[in-house]
Amino acid sequence: NGKLLLPVILEIPKGDFEHLRLTLLTKVSVFDKYILNEYDSGITSPKVLCDFSNIKTNERIEFRYVIGDDPHFEYKLL
């Protein structure tokens, strides 16, 4: 079991969200001098975590990040 961090709730604004996806973007900075940006390494390649192609305007999504042995995002539509 992991520890749950406080949730973040997002409300989907008006717009065209046919291709809405939650994507994890990573940038690594080491000693303020060496930086790995997106696609510079396997660990900085964007990762799609979930697909929200069918979400509608004004719907809300709750996100939590779970830390521990198996860190991951959890989400649910409210």
Side-chain angles (χ1 to χ4, degrees):
N1 286 338
K3 178 181 176 185
L4 292 175
L5 300 179
L6 292 175
V8 172
I9 297 174
L10 300 176
E11 184 171 326
I12 303 303
K14 291 182 181 179
D16 179 13
F17 297 106
E18 182 179 333
H19 301 290
L20 183 65
R21 289 168 181 79
L22 173 64
T23 306
L24 180 62
L25 305 173
T26 306
K27 179 178 177 179
V28 178
S29 177
V30 181
F31 304 116
D32 295 324
K33 184 177 180 182
Y34 302 101
I35 297 173
L36 293 175
N37 290 303
E38 290 176 24
Y39 298 105
D40 284 346
S41 164
I43 63 171
T44 60
S45 294
K47 179 178 180 181
V48 175
L49 300 178
C50 45
D51 184 347
F52 292 111
S53 296
N54 297 322
I55 200 156
K56 296 175 181 51
T57 296
N58 296 327
E59 283 192 291
R60 297 182 319 144
I61 309 169
E62 178 183 282
F63 296 98
R64 286 185 183 263
Y65 187 67
V66 180
I67 56 177
D69 293 339
D70 178 28
H72 62 277
F73 280 97
E74 294 180 348
Y75 66 92
K76 65 180 175 181
L77 292 176
L78 302 176

